[in-house]
Structures are given as C-alpha cells and as structure tokens.
Amino acid sequence: DQVGEWSLALDPRGGSARGKSARRSQRERVDVFRSAVDEGRAAAIREPGVHLTVTDVLIKAVAVALREYPRLNAFAECDRMTLKHQINIGVATAVGGDTSSASGDKAPHTAQAAPSDGLLVPVIAQADCKSVVEISARSRDVTAAARRGVVAPNVASTFTISSLGKFGICQFLPIINPPECAILGVGSIEPRAMPIQGGLGVREMMTLTLACDHRAVDGAYAAGFLNSVKDRLQNLDGILPDKERR
C-alpha cells in the first residue's frame, strides 16, 4: 500500500520454538534533554500561539533517526519483514478518563492515572518530512480527535511512541503494536545526580526504553537507533533547520 516498500525474510531463530517473536529491551538515558528542548523551542517558534512539547521534539528526532535505521520502520508478519517507505509515527493515546496532554514534560504535580476506555494510536504521517512546528500542530489535532474516539482509518503507523512521563513513571517496557517491529517508551523528566566535570551535579534527564521484535533486529542495531535518537535530542541535529538554530 506504500510505494517503495520491500520485503526481507525473517530469521525464525529470533523467535521461540513455537514461532512467536522474541522481544528485546534496549535502554538509553538522555542527558540534559530539558535544556536542549528549551533551546529548540526558542529557535523554532516564529509565530504567536505555537507551543512545542517534549513529545513534538521527540517525534521529529525519532522520525529522522528511523531514516538511518529502516529495519525498525517495518512490519513483521509470519516469515517476512516489510520495510515501509513512509515514516508514520503513532502516539499511544488514552481514550476517555484523563484527557490532559500525554507528553513527556515534567509537571509540578504528578497526574493521577484515571480509568480510560482503552488506547488509540493517532498517527503523524510522514513525520520525517514535517518541521517540528508542523508536527506540533498536527499532533494536537490528531490527539484531540483520538480522545474523542476518532482516528484516520487510512493511515497506519509504522512506529509507535508511548509516554507515561506525566504519571511520574521513570521507565517502563511498552508492548509492541503489531505488526510493527518496535515501540519506544518515554519516561518522566526528572532531576538526577551525575558526574559533571570531575564533581557531582544534578541534570534533568529522562529514560527511553525500546522494545523491538528480535526476529527483525538484533540488540546492537536497536542500541544504535537509541543512541541516534539521544544524540539528536541533545544536539538538535536534524530537528531544526540550520537557520533556526542560530
């Protein structure tokens, strides 16, 4: 259904004896993320009324990193893996219950997890081709629609992001949304002690956890993707146009 797709044979040794896919968790902490996001917000916002969230910047970083690691932007079914031409980022969204924003931003008070009517995954289609401001506007629209129980039926996500940061969850292992190959779990941004220039300091950090189908990728490939996302978040590489970073 997408131009430019191509298929690869999956290695059945990556799954269990019954042919089920094996899941592998890779984790990477993102350092000084808050300062990078604040810099990006100041540089990218050129018009009143635009508010970038951590999730907006994260969607762009993930989309650009998926260009480097296309095996994670794929569907795994039976013995075949289909690499997707378009990079469509899904954002897991609770339906009903608490309808506040599901971003990774740190709030003054931790939100309470109200009962919901399940999850929907609104999609930011071709996120790698959109600016972070365009992603922000589109994300608000599709997330609000999802909370009303409406998602576009003709656009399928190729990679999903799930955030529990607003509930004070530091890290978690999300469940892959089949037939996708991977999903990224986003924890809360919080102050953590760490070595800084030979001493001890406090930095605002977050933990990203990648769950992936081990038939499609190995641990080294998954770790490379996480490192690419981390570098882009901290350096804003590929997230903002050069003229916006001055």
Side-chain angles (χ1 to χ4, degrees):
D1 61 335
Q2 294 178 356
V3 176
E5 292 181 359
W6 54 289
S7 296
L8 299 172
L10 285 173
D11 184 354
R13 293 172 296 179
S16 69
R18 295 185 179 181
K20 295 181 180 179
S21 61
R23 311 299 185 194
R24 182 177 183 88
S25 168
Q26 298 290 327
R27 286 188 307 197
E28 181 66 41
R29 293 200 309 182
V30 179
D31 186 17
V32 206
F33 178 66
R34 170 65 68 178
S35 62
V37 172
D38 289 343
E39 177 189 339
R41 286 170 172 166
I45 296 175
R46 296 299 189 216
E47 54 188 275
V50 175
H51 173 69
L52 298 183
T53 68
V54 171
T55 301
D56 298 330
V57 178
L58 182 59
I59 289 171
K60 180 63 175 181
V62 167
V64 175
L66 285 171
R67 293 177 185 165
E68 294 182 80
Y69 295 88
R71 291 178 71 98
L72 289 169
N73 191 63
F75 287 175
E77 299 177 283
C78 298
D79 61 344
R80 307 295 296 176
M81 179 178 69
T82 304
L83 275 63
K84 296 295 183 176
H85 175 65
Q86 291 186 354
I87 296 176
N88 300 334
I89 305 297
V91 181
T93 303
V95 179
D98 182 6
T99 58
S100 61
S101 175
S103 75
D105 290 18
K106 183 183 67 175
H109 301 288
T110 301
Q112 297 297 314
S116 71
D117 298 324
L119 290 173
L120 287 176
V121 183
V123 179
I124 311 299
Q126 301 185 65
D128 59 318
C129 299
K130 289 180 169 61
S131 71
V132 70
V133 173
E134 290 172 332
I135 287 173
S136 178
R138 183 59 180 160
S139 180
R140 287 196 302 271
D141 291 343
V142 298
T143 301
R147 292 197 178 104
R148 298 192 303 269
V150 179
V151 294
N154 57 337
V155 180
S157 60
T158 58
F159 185 97
T160 298
I161 296 173
S162 178
S163 173
L164 295 180
K166 69 169 184 173
F167 299 118
I169 305 301
C170 298
Q171 56 184 279
F172 65 101
L173 182 63
I175 299 174
I176 296 173
N177 181 26
E180 295 172 23
C181 287
I183 183 171
L184 188 69
V186 183
S188 59
I189 296 176
E190 59 183 4
R192 299 177 189 172
M194 63 174 298
I196 299 177
Q197 297 179 346
L200 186 65
V202 176
R203 294 283 179 87
E204 290 194 324
M205 300 173 64
M206 67 189 295
T207 298
L208 304 180
T209 305
L210 181 70
C212 55
D213 190 327
H214 207 35
R215 298 173 302 168
V217 299
D218 59 20
Y221 193 93
F225 169 77
L226 278 174
N227 278 317
S228 178
V229 173
K230 180 188 73 171
D231 291 344
R232 293 182 185 284
L233 290 174
Q234 294 184 165
N235 303 320
L236 300 176
D237 182 25
I239 295 178
L240 302 178
D242 290 340
K243 64 180 180 180
E244 292 180 344
R245 297 184 62 182
R246 291 199 298 264

